[in-house]
Amino acid sequence: MLLRLGVAGAIMATAVAAQDATSDRFEKKVRPVLAQRCYQCHSSSAPAPQGGLLLDSAAGIRRGGNSGPVVRPGNPETSLLIRALRYQDKNLKMPPGGALPPEIVADLETWIREGAFLPEDRALSTKGQAKLWSLSAPARTVPPPAKERWGRNEIDRFILSKLEAKGLAPSAEADRRTLIRRVSYDLTGMPPSARDVDAFVKDTAPDAYEKLIDRLLASPRYGERWGRHWLDVARYADSENDSVNSGQRYPWSYTYRDWVIRSFNDDLPYDRFVLYQIAADRVGGIEPRHLAALGFLSLGREFPKSYPETVDDRIDAVSRGFLGLTVACARCHDHKFDPIPTRDYYSLYSILSNIRQPKEFPLLGPVGAPSPKEALYQTRLTRIEKELEAYRTRRNGEMVAFFKTQTAEYLLAAHDAESMSNTEIEDLVRDRQLNQHVLERWRKYLR
C-alpha cells in the first residue's frame, strides 16, 4: 500500500514541479529572441553594453538602461522595449539591422501584457552548478526523535518533531465517519456510500482501517483519481490543438488514457511505467496493449508547419516528466547554471525526431489477426475515405466552374487593389462579394 501511495505522491510532485505557462512563454518565446538579437550589444559579455542596458539577467531587465526601465509589466504600449522593436521612434530602433517579424514582436507584447515574468537570477554553488534535487541520489533519512509517543509510522515522527518545535500538539484523531470520507476522497475522488460509512463505523476489528484502504486501492476509481495527475504531466488531450484542426480528435487517444489508469490499478512497477511510455515498441515479449503507452510521445502538441516545434514538445515532456529538468532552453544555448549543454538537447532531438506514428492499430487485438473492432474500424474508415474523396472531387469541380465565371471581376479587383491598404482591400472584397483568398492568389499570380 505504501509503495503505491509513494508512486502516486511522486507523480503528483512531478506535476506540481512542472513550470507554468508564464515561465514557458519567457523561456521559449522571449529569452531566445534576446539571446539571438540583443545580447551582442546588451549583455554582460558585450565589450561596452550600449545605453547601459543589460538584457541577459532578470536584474538587468528590471533595472533598464540610461533612459530608465525598458519594460513596464502589464503595459506594452508604454514599454520602451516595444517602442524600439516597433521602429516607432525616430531615434530608437532596435535591433539596428532591421525590424523583427511582427509575430515575434507580438510574443514580446504578450509577455509584457501578462506581467513580464522573469526567472530569478540564481547564485552559483561552490561547484559552479545549482544543487538540483533531481540530480541528487536518494538518501535514507533517519526519523527525528519525538518526545511524545504519537503516530503509527516513521512519517508521523517527522510531523510530530516539527509540531513540537513550534510548541504545537497534534489534533485529535478524526471520528470514523470523517475518516472514511477523507480517505475515500483522497484515494478515489468519490464520497463513500451511506452503506460503506455504516459498515466502517460498526467494524470494530483492529485492522478495519487497513481493510478500508486495501478496498479503496483495489477500486477502479483509484486509477482514475490518480492517473489524471500523470495525464497532466503527459499533456494528454483527446483532440488536436492547432487552429486548422481545432476540435479534431486524435484517433484512439483514449487507449493511452485507459493504459495509464490500468497501470495504476494493476500496480505496474514504476521502471516499467517509464520504459513503456518511451520505448514500448522496442521491448520484446510485452503484451500488445502496452503499445498504447507510446501515446506519451504522440499525443502532445502538433505543429504542422514546423516539425522541430513538435519534437521540442516531446523533448520537453520527456525531460520534465521523467528527469525533473527543463532542457528546452538548451535548444538555443547551454544552460548557465545546470549541466545541460546544447549538444545533449540535439542528441535527444536526433532520437525523438525519428518517431513515426503507425497507420495500423495492433492494440485492438492479437498481432496478425484483426479483431472485430479493428475490422469494423477499417470498414468504416474505407467508407469515410471514399465519401471524402468523392466530396472533394465534386466540390472542386463546382468551385472551379463558379470562379471561372468571376475571372473578369477578380482581374479588375487585382488591378484596383494594387494601391490599397489591407483594410481597403477587405472593404473591396466585401463590397464586391469576392473571396479574399482567391483574390490574393490572383494578385500573386499576376505579380
mmCIF file of all heavy atoms in Angstrom, residues 387-429:
data_model
loop_
_atom_site.group_PDB
_atom_site.id
_atom_site.type_symbol
_atom_site.label_atom_id
_atom_site.label_comp_id
_atom_site.label_asym_id
_atom_site.label_seq_id
_atom_site.Cartn_x
_atom_site.Cartn_y
_atom_site.Cartn_z
ATOM 1 N N GLU A 387 -16.076 8.506 -49.356
ATOM 2 C CA GLU A 387 -17.028 9.618 -49.360
ATOM 3 C C GLU A 387 -16.309 10.958 -49.384
ATOM 4 O O GLU A 387 -16.724 11.895 -50.076
ATOM 5 C CB GLU A 387 -17.931 9.526 -48.127
ATOM 6 C CG GLU A 387 -18.891 8.337 -48.149
ATOM 7 C CD GLU A 387 -19.711 8.259 -46.876
ATOM 8 O OE1 GLU A 387 -19.464 9.075 -45.954
ATOM 9 O OE2 GLU A 387 -20.598 7.389 -46.793
ATOM 10 N N LEU A 388 -15.202 11.052 -48.641
ATOM 11 C CA LEU A 388 -14.442 12.297 -48.602
ATOM 12 C C LEU A 388 -13.827 12.606 -49.960
ATOM 13 O O LEU A 388 -13.876 13.743 -50.433
ATOM 14 C CB LEU A 388 -13.348 12.201 -47.537
ATOM 15 C CG LEU A 388 -12.420 13.414 -47.409
ATOM 16 C CD1 LEU A 388 -13.225 14.659 -47.033
ATOM 17 C CD2 LEU A 388 -11.333 13.152 -46.384
ATOM 18 N N GLU A 389 -13.255 11.603 -50.597
ATOM 19 C CA GLU A 389 -12.645 11.815 -51.910
ATOM 20 C C GLU A 389 -13.692 12.198 -52.944
ATOM 21 O O GLU A 389 -13.466 13.085 -53.781
ATOM 22 C CB GLU A 389 -11.906 10.542 -52.345
ATOM 23 C CG GLU A 389 -11.137 10.691 -53.648
ATOM 24 C CD GLU A 389 -10.085 11.779 -53.587
ATOM 25 O OE1 GLU A 389 -9.533 12.007 -52.490
ATOM 26 O OE2 GLU A 389 -9.808 12.395 -54.643
ATOM 27 N N ALA A 390 -14.872 11.552 -52.876
ATOM 28 C CA ALA A 390 -15.948 11.898 -53.805
ATOM 29 C C ALA A 390 -16.411 13.331 -53.583
ATOM 30 O O ALA A 390 -16.676 14.080 -54.534
ATOM 31 C CB ALA A 390 -17.125 10.928 -53.642
ATOM 32 N N TYR A 391 -16.502 13.742 -52.309
ATOM 33 C CA TYR A 391 -16.919 15.107 -51.997
ATOM 34 C C TYR A 391 -15.890 16.114 -52.509
ATOM 35 O O TYR A 391 -16.249 17.145 -53.100
ATOM 36 C CB TYR A 391 -17.101 15.269 -50.491
ATOM 37 C CG TYR A 391 -17.272 16.704 -50.061
ATOM 38 C CD1 TYR A 391 -18.501 17.350 -50.203
ATOM 39 C CD2 TYR A 391 -16.195 17.425 -49.535
ATOM 40 C CE1 TYR A 391 -18.657 18.674 -49.830
ATOM 41 C CE2 TYR A 391 -16.345 18.747 -49.165
ATOM 42 C CZ TYR A 391 -17.574 19.371 -49.305
ATOM 43 O OH TYR A 391 -17.716 20.685 -48.948
ATOM 44 N N ARG A 392 -14.614 15.835 -52.300
ATOM 45 C CA ARG A 392 -13.576 16.758 -52.753
ATOM 46 C C ARG A 392 -13.596 16.919 -54.271
ATOM 47 O O ARG A 392 -13.465 18.030 -54.788
ATOM 48 C CB ARG A 392 -12.205 16.246 -52.296
ATOM 49 C CG ARG A 392 -11.917 16.482 -50.820
ATOM 50 C CD ARG A 392 -10.576 15.916 -50.443
ATOM 51 N NE ARG A 392 -10.177 16.341 -49.104
ATOM 52 C CZ ARG A 392 -9.112 15.883 -48.466
ATOM 53 N NH1 ARG A 392 -8.340 14.974 -49.039
ATOM 54 N NH2 ARG A 392 -8.823 16.320 -47.257
ATOM 55 N N THR A 393 -13.758 15.799 -54.965
ATOM 56 C CA THR A 393 -13.791 15.858 -56.431
ATOM 57 C C THR A 393 -14.982 16.684 -56.905
ATOM 58 O O THR A 393 -14.847 17.554 -57.780
ATOM 59 C CB THR A 393 -13.866 14.438 -57.012
ATOM 60 O OG1 THR A 393 -12.733 13.686 -56.564
ATOM 61 C CG2 THR A 393 -13.879 14.478 -58.529
ATOM 62 N N ARG A 394 -16.156 16.398 -56.323
ATOM 63 C CA ARG A 394 -17.365 17.124 -56.730
ATOM 64 C C ARG A 394 -17.268 18.600 -56.379
ATOM 65 O O ARG A 394 -17.569 19.473 -57.205
ATOM 66 C CB ARG A 394 -18.590 16.508 -56.056
ATOM 67 C CG ARG A 394 -19.898 17.269 -56.292
ATOM 68 C CD ARG A 394 -21.079 16.560 -55.666
ATOM 69 N NE ARG A 394 -20.911 16.379 -54.232
ATOM 70 C CZ ARG A 394 -21.129 17.347 -53.332
ATOM 71 N NH1 ARG A 394 -21.512 18.556 -53.719
ATOM 72 N NH2 ARG A 394 -20.973 17.096 -52.044
ATOM 73 N N ARG A 395 -16.821 18.896 -55.159
ATOM 74 C CA ARG A 395 -16.750 20.280 -54.711
ATOM 75 C C ARG A 395 -15.706 21.066 -55.493
ATOM 76 O O ARG A 395 -15.900 22.247 -55.800
ATOM 77 C CB ARG A 395 -16.430 20.319 -53.220
ATOM 78 C CG ARG A 395 -16.496 21.696 -52.603
ATOM 79 C CD ARG A 395 -17.856 22.319 -52.757
ATOM 80 N NE ARG A 395 -17.925 23.627 -52.130
ATOM 81 C CZ ARG A 395 -18.783 24.570 -52.459
ATOM 82 N NH1 ARG A 395 -19.663 24.336 -53.431
ATOM 83 N NH2 ARG A 395 -18.784 25.725 -51.843
ATOM 84 N N ASN A 396 -14.585 20.431 -55.836
ATOM 85 C CA ASN A 396 -13.551 21.099 -56.611
ATOM 86 C C ASN A 396 -14.092 21.509 -57.973
ATOM 87 O O ASN A 396 -13.849 22.620 -58.454
ATOM 88 C CB ASN A 396 -12.347 20.177 -56.777
ATOM 89 C CG ASN A 396 -11.231 20.843 -57.564
ATOM 90 O OD1 ASN A 396 -10.592 21.773 -57.103
ATOM 91 N ND2 ASN A 396 -11.004 20.367 -58.788
ATOM 92 N N GLY A 397 -14.846 20.597 -58.601
ATOM 93 C CA GLY A 397 -15.431 20.926 -59.899
ATOM 94 C C GLY A 397 -16.401 22.090 -59.805
ATOM 95 O O GLY A 397 -16.410 22.987 -60.677
ATOM 96 N N GLU A 398 -17.220 22.102 -58.755
ATOM 97 C CA GLU A 398 -18.184 23.186 -58.574
ATOM 98 C C GLU A 398 -17.481 24.512 -58.354
ATOM 99 O O GLU A 398 -17.890 25.544 -58.923
ATOM 100 C CB GLU A 398 -19.088 22.884 -57.379
ATOM 101 C CG GLU A 398 -20.003 21.685 -57.590
ATOM 102 C CD GLU A 398 -20.754 21.311 -56.325
ATOM 103 O OE1 GLU A 398 -20.457 21.883 -55.251
ATOM 104 O OE2 GLU A 398 -21.642 20.441 -56.417
ATOM 105 N N MET A 399 -16.427 24.517 -57.534
ATOM 106 C CA MET A 399 -15.728 25.756 -57.230
ATOM 107 C C MET A 399 -14.984 26.286 -58.448
ATOM 108 O O MET A 399 -14.994 27.498 -58.710
ATOM 109 C CB MET A 399 -14.762 25.540 -56.067
ATOM 110 C CG MET A 399 -15.446 25.244 -54.740
ATOM 111 S SD MET A 399 -14.285 24.942 -53.401
ATOM 112 C CE MET A 399 -13.555 26.568 -53.222
ATOM 113 N N VAL A 400 -14.333 25.398 -59.214
ATOM 114 C CA VAL A 400 -13.618 25.832 -60.413
ATOM 115 C C VAL A 400 -14.593 26.460 -61.408
ATOM 116 O O VAL A 400 -14.342 27.529 -61.983
ATOM 117 C CB VAL A 400 -12.875 24.648 -61.053
ATOM 118 C CG1 VAL A 400 -12.365 25.028 -62.439
ATOM 119 C CG2 VAL A 400 -11.719 24.204 -60.173
ATOM 120 N N ALA A 401 -15.748 25.794 -61.592
ATOM 121 C CA ALA A 401 -16.744 26.324 -62.528
ATOM 122 C C ALA A 401 -17.259 27.681 -62.067
ATOM 123 O O ALA A 401 -17.441 28.605 -62.875
ATOM 124 C CB ALA A 401 -17.904 25.335 -62.659
ATOM 125 N N PHE A 402 -17.479 27.823 -60.751
ATOM 126 C CA PHE A 402 -18.005 29.086 -60.236
ATOM 127 C C PHE A 402 -16.993 30.217 -60.375
ATOM 128 O O PHE A 402 -17.318 31.304 -60.851
ATOM 129 C CB PHE A 402 -18.413 28.917 -58.769
ATOM 130 C CG PHE A 402 -18.798 30.200 -58.109
ATOM 131 C CD1 PHE A 402 -20.014 30.811 -58.396
ATOM 132 C CD2 PHE A 402 -17.934 30.812 -57.207
ATOM 133 C CE1 PHE A 402 -20.364 32.005 -57.792
ATOM 134 C CE2 PHE A 402 -18.288 32.005 -56.595
ATOM 135 C CZ PHE A 402 -19.506 32.611 -56.892
ATOM 136 N N PHE A 403 -15.745 29.951 -59.980
ATOM 137 C CA PHE A 403 -14.755 31.016 -60.008
ATOM 138 C C PHE A 403 -14.370 31.408 -61.438
ATOM 139 O O PHE A 403 -13.927 32.533 -61.673
ATOM 140 C CB PHE A 403 -13.519 30.611 -59.209
ATOM 141 C CG PHE A 403 -13.736 30.627 -57.724
ATOM 142 C CD1 PHE A 403 -13.458 29.523 -56.946
ATOM 143 C CD2 PHE A 403 -14.238 31.754 -57.099
ATOM 144 C CE1 PHE A 403 -13.671 29.532 -55.579
ATOM 145 C CE2 PHE A 403 -14.451 31.784 -55.728
ATOM 146 C CZ PHE A 403 -14.183 30.667 -54.967
ATOM 147 N N LYS A 404 -14.533 30.500 -62.392
ATOM 148 C CA LYS A 404 -14.264 30.859 -63.789
ATOM 149 C C LYS A 404 -15.227 31.939 -64.264
ATOM 150 O O LYS A 404 -14.872 32.785 -65.085
ATOM 151 C CB LYS A 404 -14.374 29.625 -64.672
ATOM 152 C CG LYS A 404 -13.134 28.739 -64.672
ATOM 153 C CD LYS A 404 -13.282 27.575 -65.642
ATOM 154 C CE LYS A 404 -12.005 26.749 -65.684
ATOM 155 N NZ LYS A 404 -12.126 25.601 -66.617
ATOM 156 N N THR A 405 -16.456 31.919 -63.742
ATOM 157 C CA THR A 405 -17.430 32.937 -64.148
ATOM 158 C C THR A 405 -17.083 34.303 -63.576
ATOM 159 O O THR A 405 -17.637 35.311 -64.026
ATOM 160 C CB THR A 405 -18.846 32.545 -63.671
ATOM 161 O OG1 THR A 405 -18.873 32.549 -62.235
ATOM 162 C CG2 THR A 405 -19.233 31.155 -64.178
ATOM 163 N N GLN A 406 -16.188 34.357 -62.593
ATOM 164 C CA GLN A 406 -15.832 35.624 -61.952
ATOM 165 C C GLN A 406 -14.423 36.096 -62.313
ATOM 166 O O GLN A 406 -13.890 36.992 -61.668
ATOM 167 C CB GLN A 406 -15.924 35.485 -60.428
ATOM 168 C CG GLN A 406 -17.332 35.267 -59.893
ATOM 169 C CD GLN A 406 -17.362 35.337 -58.377
ATOM 170 O OE1 GLN A 406 -16.542 34.702 -57.720
ATOM 171 N NE2 GLN A 406 -18.284 36.116 -57.830
ATOM 172 N N THR A 407 -13.839 35.494 -63.345
ATOM 173 C CA THR A 407 -12.461 35.841 -63.700
ATOM 174 C C THR A 407 -12.303 37.333 -63.947
ATOM 175 O O THR A 407 -11.353 37.972 -63.461
ATOM 176 C CB THR A 407 -12.012 35.047 -64.932
ATOM 177 O OG1 THR A 407 -12.087 33.650 -64.643
ATOM 178 C CG2 THR A 407 -10.589 35.415 -65.325
ATOM 179 N N ALA A 408 -13.226 37.918 -64.704
ATOM 180 C CA ALA A 408 -13.124 39.347 -65.014
ATOM 181 C C ALA A 408 -13.184 40.193 -63.756
ATOM 182 O O ALA A 408 -12.418 41.160 -63.588
ATOM 183 C CB ALA A 408 -14.252 39.739 -65.982
ATOM 184 N N GLU A 409 -14.101 39.838 -62.825
ATOM 185 C CA GLU A 409 -14.219 40.599 -61.584
ATOM 186 C C GLU A 409 -12.933 40.548 -60.764
ATOM 187 O O GLU A 409 -12.494 41.549 -60.179
ATOM 188 C CB GLU A 409 -15.387 40.071 -60.743
ATOM 189 C CG GLU A 409 -16.761 40.429 -61.276
ATOM 190 C CD GLU A 409 -17.254 39.469 -62.343
ATOM 191 O OE1 GLU A 409 -16.414 38.681 -62.846
ATOM 192 O OE2 GLU A 409 -18.445 39.495 -62.673
ATOM 193 N N TYR A 410 -12.290 39.360 -60.735
ATOM 194 C CA TYR A 410 -11.052 39.231 -59.951
ATOM 195 C C TYR A 410 -9.894 39.978 -60.602
ATOM 196 O O TYR A 410 -9.043 40.552 -59.908
ATOM 197 C CB TYR A 410 -10.699 37.751 -59.765
ATOM 198 C CG TYR A 410 -11.447 37.098 -58.631
ATOM 199 C CD1 TYR A 410 -12.511 36.233 -58.879
ATOM 200 C CD2 TYR A 410 -11.127 37.360 -57.307
ATOM 201 C CE1 TYR A 410 -13.223 35.642 -57.835
ATOM 202 C CE2 TYR A 410 -11.825 36.784 -56.255
ATOM 203 C CZ TYR A 410 -12.874 35.922 -56.529
ATOM 204 O OH TYR A 410 -13.574 35.362 -55.493
ATOM 205 N N LEU A 411 -9.838 39.992 -61.936
ATOM 206 C CA LEU A 411 -8.774 40.739 -62.608
ATOM 207 C C LEU A 411 -8.916 42.228 -62.330
ATOM 208 O O LEU A 411 -7.921 42.926 -62.065
ATOM 209 C CB LEU A 411 -8.813 40.460 -64.111
ATOM 210 C CG LEU A 411 -8.359 39.057 -64.543
ATOM 211 C CD1 LEU A 411 -8.595 38.858 -66.027
ATOM 212 C CD2 LEU A 411 -6.875 38.860 -64.233
ATOM 213 N N LEU A 412 -10.133 42.738 -62.370
ATOM 214 C CA LEU A 412 -10.354 44.148 -62.074
ATOM 215 C C LEU A 412 -10.016 44.452 -60.609
ATOM 216 O O LEU A 412 -9.388 45.471 -60.306
ATOM 217 C CB LEU A 412 -11.816 44.516 -62.359
ATOM 218 C CG LEU A 412 -12.207 44.619 -63.838
ATOM 219 C CD1 LEU A 412 -13.723 44.802 -63.969
ATOM 220 C CD2 LEU A 412 -11.472 45.775 -64.513
ATOM 221 N N ALA A 413 -10.449 43.557 -59.721
ATOM 222 C CA ALA A 413 -10.165 43.773 -58.299
ATOM 223 C C ALA A 413 -8.670 43.728 -58.023
ATOM 224 O O ALA A 413 -8.150 44.507 -57.213
ATOM 225 C CB ALA A 413 -10.890 42.726 -57.470
ATOM 226 N N ALA A 414 -7.943 42.835 -58.689
ATOM 227 C CA ALA A 414 -6.490 42.749 -58.503
ATOM 228 C C ALA A 414 -5.816 44.034 -58.958
ATOM 229 O O ALA A 414 -4.864 44.521 -58.331
ATOM 230 C CB ALA A 414 -5.940 41.548 -59.259
ATOM 231 N N HIS A 415 -6.316 44.605 -60.060
ATOM 232 C CA HIS A 415 -5.765 45.875 -60.552
ATOM 233 C C HIS A 415 -6.047 47.000 -59.564
ATOM 234 O O HIS A 415 -5.162 47.803 -59.223
ATOM 235 C CB HIS A 415 -6.369 46.200 -61.918
ATOM 236 C CG HIS A 415 -5.948 47.545 -62.442
ATOM 237 N ND1 HIS A 415 -6.667 48.707 -62.169
ATOM 238 C CD2 HIS A 415 -4.880 47.927 -63.209
ATOM 239 C CE1 HIS A 415 -6.061 49.722 -62.749
ATOM 240 N NE2 HIS A 415 -4.979 49.284 -63.394
ATOM 241 N N ASP A 416 -7.286 47.085 -59.075
ATOM 242 C CA ASP A 416 -7.672 48.165 -58.165
ATOM 243 C C ASP A 416 -6.978 48.058 -56.815
ATOM 244 O O ASP A 416 -6.745 49.063 -56.142
ATOM 245 C CB ASP A 416 -9.192 48.153 -57.956
ATOM 246 C CG ASP A 416 -9.950 48.442 -59.251
ATOM 247 O OD1 ASP A 416 -9.330 49.007 -60.181
ATOM 248 O OD2 ASP A 416 -11.151 48.093 -59.321
ATOM 249 N N ALA A 417 -6.640 46.834 -56.399
ATOM 250 C CA ALA A 417 -6.078 46.622 -55.061
ATOM 251 C C ALA A 417 -4.605 46.978 -54.971
ATOM 252 O O ALA A 417 -4.058 47.044 -53.859
ATOM 253 C CB ALA A 417 -6.269 45.167 -54.644
ATOM 254 N N GLU A 418 -3.955 47.240 -56.087
ATOM 255 C CA GLU A 418 -2.520 47.480 -56.065
ATOM 256 C C GLU A 418 -2.156 48.687 -55.211
ATOM 257 O O GLU A 418 -1.098 48.723 -54.594
ATOM 258 C CB GLU A 418 -1.992 47.661 -57.489
ATOM 259 C CG GLU A 418 -1.879 46.366 -58.274
ATOM 260 C CD GLU A 418 -1.003 45.354 -57.562
ATOM 261 O OE1 GLU A 418 0.130 45.695 -57.185
ATOM 262 O OE2 GLU A 418 -1.464 44.216 -57.352
ATOM 263 N N SER A 419 -3.010 49.681 -55.183
ATOM 264 C CA SER A 419 -2.694 50.908 -54.435
ATOM 265 C C SER A 419 -3.466 51.000 -53.122
ATOM 266 O O SER A 419 -3.525 52.083 -52.514
ATOM 267 C CB SER A 419 -3.024 52.136 -55.303
ATOM 268 O OG SER A 419 -4.401 52.126 -55.668
ATOM 269 N N MET A 420 -4.039 49.890 -52.669
ATOM 270 C CA MET A 420 -4.872 49.907 -51.466
ATOM 271 C C MET A 420 -4.133 49.316 -50.268
ATOM 272 O O MET A 420 -3.242 48.481 -50.422
ATOM 273 C CB MET A 420 -6.163 49.101 -51.700
ATOM 274 C CG MET A 420 -7.115 49.713 -52.685
ATOM 275 S SD MET A 420 -8.645 48.710 -52.804
ATOM 276 C CE MET A 420 -9.594 49.710 -53.951
ATOM 277 N N SER A 421 -4.562 49.724 -49.092
ATOM 278 C CA SER A 421 -4.063 49.121 -47.856
ATOM 279 C C SER A 421 -4.831 47.826 -47.585
ATOM 280 O O SER A 421 -5.828 47.523 -48.258
ATOM 281 C CB SER A 421 -4.255 50.086 -46.677
ATOM 282 O OG SER A 421 -5.650 50.303 -46.450
ATOM 283 N N ASN A 422 -4.376 47.072 -46.590
ATOM 284 C CA ASN A 422 -5.059 45.816 -46.268
ATOM 285 C C ASN A 422 -6.509 46.043 -45.865
ATOM 286 O O ASN A 422 -7.405 45.278 -46.240
ATOM 287 C CB ASN A 422 -4.314 45.091 -45.144
ATOM 288 C CG ASN A 422 -2.970 44.560 -45.592
ATOM 289 O OD1 ASN A 422 -2.750 44.328 -46.785
ATOM 290 N ND2 ASN A 422 -2.061 44.371 -44.658
ATOM 291 N N THR A 423 -6.757 47.092 -45.091
ATOM 292 C CA THR A 423 -8.126 47.388 -44.668
ATOM 293 C C THR A 423 -8.997 47.732 -45.861
ATOM 294 O O THR A 423 -10.159 47.287 -45.960
ATOM 295 C CB THR A 423 -8.134 48.555 -43.662
ATOM 296 O OG1 THR A 423 -7.296 48.224 -42.553
ATOM 297 C CG2 THR A 423 -9.543 48.826 -43.164
ATOM 298 N N GLU A 424 -8.462 48.516 -46.804
ATOM 299 C CA GLU A 424 -9.233 48.877 -48.001
ATOM 300 C C GLU A 424 -9.511 47.664 -48.874
ATOM 301 O O GLU A 424 -10.588 47.562 -49.480
ATOM 302 C CB GLU A 424 -8.476 49.945 -48.792
ATOM 303 C CG GLU A 424 -8.399 51.292 -48.080
ATOM 304 C CD GLU A 424 -7.488 52.277 -48.791
ATOM 305 O OE1 GLU A 424 -6.513 51.825 -49.457
ATOM 306 O OE2 GLU A 424 -7.726 53.496 -48.681
ATOM 307 N N ILE A 425 -8.563 46.732 -48.922
ATOM 308 C CA ILE A 425 -8.774 45.510 -49.704
ATOM 309 C C ILE A 425 -9.885 44.678 -49.084
ATOM 310 O O ILE A 425 -10.724 44.098 -49.794
ATOM 311 C CB ILE A 425 -7.469 44.704 -49.800
ATOM 312 C CG1 ILE A 425 -6.436 45.457 -50.644
ATOM 313 C CG2 ILE A 425 -7.727 43.315 -50.393
ATOM 314 C CD1 ILE A 425 -5.082 44.789 -50.692
ATOM 315 N N GLU A 426 -9.924 44.624 -47.757
ATOM 316 C CA GLU A 426 -11.002 43.889 -47.091
ATOM 317 C C GLU A 426 -12.358 44.499 -47.420
ATOM 318 O O GLU A 426 -13.341 43.788 -47.655
ATOM 319 C CB GLU A 426 -10.765 43.887 -45.576
ATOM 320 C CG GLU A 426 -9.568 43.068 -45.142
ATOM 321 C CD GLU A 426 -9.281 43.184 -43.658
ATOM 322 O OE1 GLU A 426 -10.037 43.924 -42.970
ATOM 323 O OE2 GLU A 426 -8.327 42.562 -43.177
ATOM 324 N N ASP A 427 -12.429 45.833 -47.455
ATOM 325 C CA ASP A 427 -13.679 46.507 -47.818
ATOM 326 C C ASP A 427 -14.051 46.204 -49.266
ATOM 327 O O ASP A 427 -15.235 45.981 -49.590
ATOM 328 C CB ASP A 427 -13.544 48.021 -47.616
ATOM 329 C CG ASP A 427 -13.392 48.389 -46.142
ATOM 330 O OD1 ASP A 427 -13.801 47.577 -45.288
ATOM 331 O OD2 ASP A 427 -12.844 49.476 -45.852
ATOM 332 N N LEU A 428 -13.039 46.185 -50.137
ATOM 333 C CA LEU A 428 -13.297 45.911 -51.549
ATOM 334 C C LEU A 428 -13.863 44.501 -51.737
ATOM 335 O O LEU A 428 -14.827 44.302 -52.489
ATOM 336 C CB LEU A 428 -12.000 46.089 -52.346
ATOM 337 C CG LEU A 428 -12.029 45.823 -53.853
ATOM 338 C CD1 LEU A 428 -11.056 46.740 -54.575
ATOM 339 C CD2 LEU A 428 -11.645 44.362 -54.175
ATOM 340 N N VAL A 429 -13.264 43.549 -51.083
ATOM 341 C CA VAL A 429 -13.727 42.165 -51.190
ATOM 342 C C VAL A 429 -15.160 42.037 -50.697
ATOM 343 O O VAL A 429 -15.995 41.363 -51.315
ATOM 344 C CB VAL A 429 -12.794 41.228 -50.389
ATOM 345 C CG1 VAL A 429 -13.408 39.834 -50.240
ATOM 346 C CG2 VAL A 429 -11.441 41.124 -51.073
#
